[in-house]
Amino acid sequence: MNSRILSLLQKDSRLSVAEIGERVGLSTSACHRRIRQLEDEGVIEGYSANLSKVALGYAIEVFVEVTLSGQSEALLDQFEKEAADCHDIIECHLMAGDADYLLRVAAESPEAYEHLHRKVLASLPGVARLKSNFVLKSVKSYSGYPIKAG
Protein backbone atom coordinates (compact mmCIF):
# COMPACT_ATOMS: atom_id res chain seq x y z
CA MET A 1 0.00 0.00 0.00
CA ASN A 2 2.76 2.45 0.97
CA SER A 3 4.58 1.77 -2.31
CA ARG A 4 1.47 2.78 -4.27
CA ILE A 5 1.09 5.96 -2.22
CA LEU A 6 4.76 6.81 -2.75
CA SER A 7 4.52 6.17 -6.49
CA LEU A 8 1.52 8.47 -6.80
CA LEU A 9 3.11 11.24 -4.73
CA GLN A 10 6.40 11.00 -6.60
CA LYS A 11 4.59 11.37 -9.93
CA ASP A 12 2.33 14.20 -8.78
CA SER A 13 2.68 15.64 -5.29
CA ARG A 14 -0.29 17.94 -5.97
CA LEU A 15 -2.77 15.06 -5.69
CA SER A 16 -5.14 15.51 -2.79
CA VAL A 17 -5.08 13.01 0.06
CA ALA A 18 -8.66 12.09 -0.87
CA GLU A 19 -7.64 11.35 -4.46
CA ILE A 20 -4.66 9.27 -3.37
CA GLY A 21 -6.84 7.38 -0.90
CA GLU A 22 -9.40 6.66 -3.60
CA ARG A 23 -6.72 5.34 -5.98
CA VAL A 24 -5.16 3.03 -3.37
CA GLY A 25 -8.38 1.96 -1.68
CA LEU A 26 -8.11 3.85 1.62
CA SER A 27 -10.35 6.37 3.33
CA THR A 28 -9.10 9.93 3.32
CA SER A 29 -8.26 9.80 7.04
CA ALA A 30 -6.43 6.45 6.74
CA CYS A 31 -4.49 7.74 3.75
CA HIS A 32 -3.61 10.93 5.61
CA ARG A 33 -2.29 8.85 8.55
CA ARG A 34 -0.14 6.73 6.17
CA ILE A 35 1.30 9.80 4.46
CA ARG A 36 2.01 11.48 7.81
CA GLN A 37 3.75 8.28 9.00
CA LEU A 38 5.90 8.20 5.83
CA GLU A 39 6.83 11.85 6.46
CA ASP A 40 7.63 11.18 10.14
CA GLU A 41 9.80 8.17 9.19
CA GLY A 42 11.75 10.34 6.73
CA VAL A 43 10.67 8.36 3.67
CA ILE A 44 9.01 11.51 2.34
CA GLU A 45 11.54 14.30 2.79
CA GLY A 46 9.47 17.09 1.28
CA TYR A 47 7.50 18.28 -1.72
CA SER A 48 8.64 20.37 -4.66
CA ALA A 49 7.82 21.53 -8.16
CA ASN A 50 9.92 20.69 -11.22
CA LEU A 51 10.81 23.96 -12.90
CA SER A 52 11.88 24.52 -16.50
CA LYS A 53 15.51 25.61 -16.70
CA VAL A 54 14.80 27.17 -20.10
CA ALA A 55 11.87 29.20 -18.77
CA LEU A 56 14.11 30.39 -15.93
CA GLY A 57 16.77 31.50 -18.41
CA TYR A 58 19.35 28.74 -17.99
CA ALA A 59 20.67 27.77 -21.40
CA ILE A 60 23.41 25.39 -20.30
CA GLU A 61 23.91 22.77 -17.64
CA VAL A 62 27.34 21.57 -16.55
CA PHE A 63 28.59 18.69 -14.44
CA VAL A 64 31.84 19.75 -12.79
CA GLU A 65 34.33 17.27 -11.38
CA VAL A 66 36.25 18.82 -8.49
CA THR A 67 39.57 17.55 -7.19
CA LEU A 68 40.75 19.02 -3.90
CA SER A 69 44.32 19.73 -2.83
CA GLY A 70 43.95 17.51 0.23
CA GLN A 71 41.69 15.08 2.02
CA SER A 72 41.67 16.35 5.61
CA GLU A 73 38.32 16.28 7.32
CA ALA A 74 38.58 20.01 7.97
CA LEU A 75 39.10 20.76 4.26
CA LEU A 76 36.26 18.45 3.20
CA ASP A 77 33.94 20.06 5.76
CA GLN A 78 34.92 23.58 4.66
CA PHE A 79 34.41 22.74 0.97
CA GLU A 80 31.04 21.11 1.65
CA LYS A 81 29.80 24.03 3.73
CA GLU A 82 30.69 26.61 1.10
CA ALA A 83 29.35 24.45 -1.74
CA ALA A 84 26.07 23.93 0.12
CA ASP A 85 25.77 27.69 0.70
CA CYS A 86 26.43 28.53 -2.98
CA HIS A 87 23.12 29.16 -4.76
CA ASP A 88 24.81 28.59 -8.17
CA ILE A 89 25.45 24.93 -7.31
CA ILE A 90 22.34 22.83 -7.89
CA GLU A 91 23.81 19.57 -6.57
CA CYS A 92 27.03 18.56 -4.82
CA HIS A 93 28.07 14.93 -4.30
CA LEU A 94 31.11 13.50 -2.52
CA MET A 95 32.48 10.86 -4.89
CA ALA A 96 34.70 7.81 -4.88
CA GLY A 97 36.94 7.72 -7.95
CA ASP A 98 39.10 10.23 -9.77
CA ALA A 99 37.26 13.35 -8.62
CA ASP A 100 36.46 14.21 -5.01
CA TYR A 101 33.15 15.94 -5.76
CA LEU A 102 30.68 16.13 -8.62
CA LEU A 103 28.77 19.39 -8.94
CA ARG A 104 25.79 20.18 -11.12
CA VAL A 105 25.41 23.81 -12.13
CA ALA A 106 23.28 25.78 -14.56
CA ALA A 107 24.20 29.02 -16.31
CA GLU A 108 22.51 31.50 -18.62
CA SER A 109 25.32 31.40 -21.20
CA PRO A 110 28.87 30.19 -21.80
CA GLU A 111 30.08 33.59 -20.60
CA ALA A 112 28.05 33.29 -17.42
CA TYR A 113 29.52 29.83 -16.83
CA GLU A 114 33.04 31.17 -17.40
CA HIS A 115 32.40 33.79 -14.72
CA LEU A 116 30.97 31.15 -12.38
CA HIS A 117 33.97 28.88 -13.07
CA ARG A 118 36.57 31.59 -12.45
CA LYS A 119 34.99 33.59 -9.65
CA VAL A 120 32.95 31.03 -7.70
CA LEU A 121 33.94 27.42 -8.31
CA ALA A 122 37.70 27.97 -8.51
CA SER A 123 37.61 29.95 -5.27
CA LEU A 124 35.94 27.20 -3.23
CA PRO A 125 38.20 25.94 -0.41
CA GLY A 126 40.96 23.55 -1.47
CA VAL A 127 40.10 23.34 -5.17
CA ALA A 128 43.08 21.99 -7.09
CA ARG A 129 41.35 21.01 -10.34
CA LEU A 130 38.01 21.55 -12.08
CA LYS A 131 36.83 19.52 -15.05
CA SER A 132 33.69 20.79 -16.78
CA ASN A 133 31.36 18.45 -18.66
CA PHE A 134 28.70 20.30 -20.65
CA VAL A 135 25.30 18.69 -21.15
CA LEU A 136 24.43 18.54 -24.86
CA LYS A 137 21.04 16.88 -24.43
CA SER A 138 19.18 15.31 -21.54
CA VAL A 139 18.03 11.88 -22.63
CA LYS A 140 16.49 10.95 -19.30
CA SER A 141 16.17 13.32 -16.37
CA TYR A 142 15.52 12.44 -12.77
CA SER A 143 11.87 11.62 -12.26
CA GLY A 144 12.09 9.87 -8.91
CA TYR A 145 13.47 6.73 -7.34
CA PRO A 146 12.22 3.29 -8.31
CA ILE A 147 9.55 2.23 -5.79
CA LYS A 148 9.70 -1.40 -4.72
CA ALA A 149 6.35 -3.04 -4.13
CA GLY A 150 5.74 -3.96 -0.57
Coordinates of all heavy atoms in Angstrom, one line a residue, residues 81-117:
K81 N 30.6 22.9 3.2 CA 29.8 24.0 3.7 C 29.7 25.1 2.7 O 28.6 25.6 2.4 CB 30.4 24.6 5.0 CG 29.6 25.7 5.6 CD 30.3 26.4 6.7 CE 29.5 27.6 7.3 NZ 28.8 28.5 6.3
E82 N 30.8 25.5 2.1 CA 30.7 26.6 1.1 C 29.9 26.2 -0.2 O 29.2 27.0 -0.7 CB 32.1 27.1 0.8 CG 32.7 27.9 1.9 CD 33.8 28.8 1.6 OE1 33.8 29.3 0.4 OE2 34.6 29.1 2.5
A83 N 30.1 24.9 -0.6 CA 29.4 24.4 -1.7 C 27.9 24.4 -1.4 O 27.0 24.8 -2.3 CB 29.8 23.1 -2.2
A84 N 27.5 24.0 -0.3 CA 26.1 23.9 0.1 C 25.5 25.3 0.2 O 24.3 25.5 -0.1 CB 25.9 23.2 1.5
D85 N 26.3 26.3 0.6 CA 25.8 27.7 0.7 C 25.7 28.4 -0.6 O 25.2 29.5 -0.7 CB 26.6 28.5 1.7 CG 26.5 28.0 3.1 OD1 25.5 27.4 3.4 OD2 27.3 28.4 3.9
C86 N 26.3 27.9 -1.7 CA 26.4 28.5 -3.0 C 25.2 28.3 -3.8 O 24.9 27.1 -4.2 CB 27.7 28.0 -3.7 SG 27.9 28.8 -5.4
H87 N 24.4 29.3 -4.0 CA 23.1 29.2 -4.8 C 23.3 28.8 -6.2 O 22.4 28.3 -6.9 CB 22.2 30.4 -4.6 CG 22.7 31.6 -5.5 ND1 23.7 32.4 -5.0 CD2 22.4 32.0 -6.7 CE1 23.9 33.3 -6.0 NE2 23.1 33.1 -7.0
D88 N 24.5 29.0 -6.8 CA 24.8 28.6 -8.2 C 25.0 27.1 -8.3 O 24.9 26.6 -9.4 CB 26.1 29.3 -8.7 CG 25.9 30.8 -8.8 OD1 24.9 31.2 -9.4 OD2 26.7 31.5 -8.3
I89 N 25.3 26.4 -7.3 CA 25.4 24.9 -7.3 C 24.1 24.3 -7.0 O 23.5 24.4 -6.0 CB 26.5 24.5 -6.3 CG1 27.9 25.1 -6.6 CG2 26.6 22.9 -6.2 CD1 29.0 24.8 -5.6
I90 N 23.6 23.5 -8.0 CA 22.3 22.8 -7.9 C 22.5 21.6 -7.1 O 21.6 21.2 -6.3 CB 21.8 22.5 -9.3 CG1 21.6 23.7 -10.1 CG2 20.5 21.7 -9.2 CD1 21.3 23.5 -11.6
E91 N 23.5 20.8 -7.3 CA 23.8 19.6 -6.6 C 25.3 19.5 -6.3 O 26.1 20.0 -7.1 CB 23.4 18.3 -7.4 CG 21.9 18.2 -7.7 CD 21.6 17.0 -8.5 OE1 22.5 16.1 -8.8 OE2 20.5 16.9 -9.0
C92 N 25.6 18.8 -5.2 CA 27.0 18.6 -4.8 C 27.1 17.2 -4.2 O 26.4 16.9 -3.2 CB 27.5 19.6 -3.8 SG 29.2 19.3 -3.2
H93 N 28.0 16.3 -4.8 CA 28.1 14.9 -4.3 C 29.5 14.6 -4.0 O 30.4 14.8 -4.9 CB 27.6 14.0 -5.4 CG 26.2 14.2 -5.8 ND1 25.1 13.8 -5.1 CD2 25.7 14.9 -6.9 CE1 24.0 14.2 -5.8 NE2 24.3 14.9 -6.8
L94 N 29.8 14.0 -2.8 CA 31.1 13.5 -2.5 C 31.2 12.2 -3.3 O 30.3 11.4 -3.2 CB 31.3 13.3 -1.0 CG 32.5 12.6 -0.5 CD1 33.8 13.5 -0.8 CD2 32.4 12.3 1.0
M95 N 32.3 12.0 -4.0 CA 32.5 10.9 -4.9 C 33.6 10.0 -4.5 O 34.6 10.4 -3.8 CB 32.7 11.4 -6.3 CG 31.7 12.3 -6.9 SD 30.0 11.6 -7.0 CE 30.3 10.5 -8.4
A96 N 33.6 8.7 -4.9 CA 34.7 7.8 -4.9 C 35.2 7.7 -6.3 O 34.3 7.6 -7.2 CB 34.3 6.4 -4.3
G97 N 36.4 7.8 -6.6 CA 36.9 7.7 -8.0 C 38.0 8.8 -8.2 O 38.6 9.3 -7.3
D98 N 38.1 9.2 -9.4 CA 39.1 10.2 -9.8 C 38.8 11.6 -9.2 O 39.8 12.3 -8.7 CB 39.2 10.4 -11.3 CG 39.8 9.1 -11.9 OD1 40.5 8.4 -11.3 OD2 39.5 8.9 -13.1
A99 N 37.6 12.0 -9.2 CA 37.3 13.4 -8.6 C 36.8 13.2 -7.2 O 36.2 12.2 -6.8 CB 36.2 14.0 -9.5
D100 N 37.0 14.2 -6.4 CA 36.5 14.2 -5.0 C 35.0 14.6 -4.9 O 34.2 14.0 -4.1 CB 37.3 15.2 -4.2 CG 38.7 14.8 -4.0 OD1 39.0 13.6 -3.8 OD2 39.6 15.7 -4.3
Y101 N 34.5 15.5 -5.8 CA 33.2 15.9 -5.8 C 32.6 16.1 -7.2 O 33.4 16.3 -8.1 CB 33.0 17.3 -5.1 CG 33.2 17.2 -3.6 CD1 34.5 17.4 -3.1 CD2 32.2 17.0 -2.7 CE1 34.7 17.3 -1.7 CE2 32.4 16.9 -1.4 CZ 33.6 17.0 -0.8 OH 33.8 16.9 0.5
L102 N 31.4 15.9 -7.3 CA 30.7 16.1 -8.6 C 29.6 17.2 -8.3 O 28.7 17.0 -7.5 CB 30.0 14.9 -9.2 CG 29.3 15.0 -10.5 CD1 30.3 15.4 -11.6 CD2 28.6 13.7 -10.9
L103 N 29.7 18.3 -9.1 CA 28.8 19.4 -8.9 C 27.9 19.4 -10.2 O 28.3 19.1 -11.3 CB 29.5 20.7 -8.8 CG 30.6 20.9 -7.8 CD1 31.2 22.3 -7.8 CD2 30.1 20.6 -6.4
R104 N 26.7 19.9 -10.0 CA 25.8 20.2 -11.1 C 25.4 21.7 -11.0 O 25.0 22.1 -10.0 CB 24.5 19.3 -11.0 CG 23.6 19.5 -12.2 CD 22.4 18.6 -12.1 NE 21.3 19.1 -12.7 CZ 20.0 19.1 -12.3 NH1 19.8 18.5 -11.1 NH2 19.0 19.6 -12.9
V105 N 25.7 22.4 -12.1 CA 25.4 23.8 -12.1 C 24.7 24.2 -13.4 O 24.7 23.4 -14.4 CB 26.7 24.7 -12.0 CG1 27.4 24.4 -10.7 CG2 27.6 24.5 -13.2
A106 N 24.0 25.3 -13.4 CA 23.3 25.8 -14.6 C 23.7 27.2 -14.7 O 24.0 27.9 -13.8 CB 21.8 25.7 -14.4
A107 N 23.8 27.6 -16.0 CA 24.2 29.0 -16.3 C 23.4 29.5 -17.5 O 22.9 28.8 -18.3 CB 25.7 29.1 -16.6
E108 N 23.3 30.9 -17.6 CA 22.5 31.5 -18.6 C 23.2 31.4 -20.0 O 22.6 31.4 -21.0 CB 22.2 33.0 -18.3 CG 21.4 33.2 -17.1 CD 22.2 33.2 -15.7 OE1 23.4 33.0 -15.8 OE2 21.6 33.3 -14.7
S109 N 24.6 31.4 -20.0 CA 25.3 31.4 -21.2 C 26.7 30.9 -20.9 O 27.1 30.7 -19.8 CB 25.4 32.8 -21.7 OG 26.2 33.6 -20.8
P110 N 27.5 30.6 -22.0 CA 28.9 30.2 -21.8 C 29.7 31.3 -21.0 O 30.5 30.9 -20.2 CB 29.4 30.0 -23.2 CG 28.2 29.7 -24.0 CD 27.1 30.5 -23.4
E111 N 29.4 32.5 -21.3 CA 30.1 33.6 -20.6 C 29.7 33.6 -19.1 O 30.6 33.8 -18.3 CB 29.7 35.0 -21.2 CG 30.2 35.1 -22.7 CD 29.3 34.4 -23.7 OE1 28.2 34.1 -23.4 OE2 29.8 34.2 -24.8
A112 N 28.5 33.3 -18.8 CA 28.0 33.3 -17.4 C 28.7 32.1 -16.7 O 29.1 32.2 -15.6 CB 26.5 33.2 -17.3
Y113 N 28.8 31.0 -17.4 CA 29.5 29.8 -16.8 C 31.0 30.1 -16.6 O 31.6 29.8 -15.6 CB 29.4 28.5 -17.6 CG 30.1 27.4 -17.0 CD1 29.7 26.9 -15.8 CD2 31.3 27.0 -17.5 CE1 30.4 25.9 -15.1 CE2 32.1 26.0 -16.8 CZ 31.6 25.5 -15.6 OH 32.4 24.6 -15.0
E114 N 31.6 30.8 -17.6 CA 33.0 31.2 -17.4 C 33.2 32.0 -16.1 O 34.1 31.8 -15.3 CB 33.6 31.9 -18.6 CG 35.0 32.4 -18.4 CD 35.5 33.3 -19.5 OE1 34.8 33.7 -20.4 OE2 36.7 33.5 -19.5
H115 N 32.3 33.0 -15.9 CA 32.4 33.8 -14.7 C 32.2 32.9 -13.5 O 33.0 33.1 -12.5 CB 31.3 34.9 -14.8 CG 31.3 35.8 -13.6 ND1 30.6 35.5 -12.5 CD2 32.1 36.9 -13.3 CE1 30.8 36.4 -11.6 NE2 31.7 37.3 -12.0
L116 N 31.2 32.1 -13.5 CA 31.0 31.2 -12.4 C 32.2 30.3 -12.1 O 32.6 30.1 -11.0 CB 29.7 30.3 -12.7 CG 29.4 29.2 -11.7 CD1 29.0 29.8 -10.4 CD2 28.2 28.4 -12.3
H117 N 32.8 29.7 -13.2 CA 34.0 28.9 -13.1 C 35.1 29.6 -12.4 O 35.7 29.2 -11.5 CB 34.3 28.4 -14.5 CG 35.5 27.4 -14.5 ND1 36.8 27.9 -14.5 CD2 35.5 26.1 -14.5 CE1 37.6 26.8 -14.5 NE2 36.8 25.7 -14.5

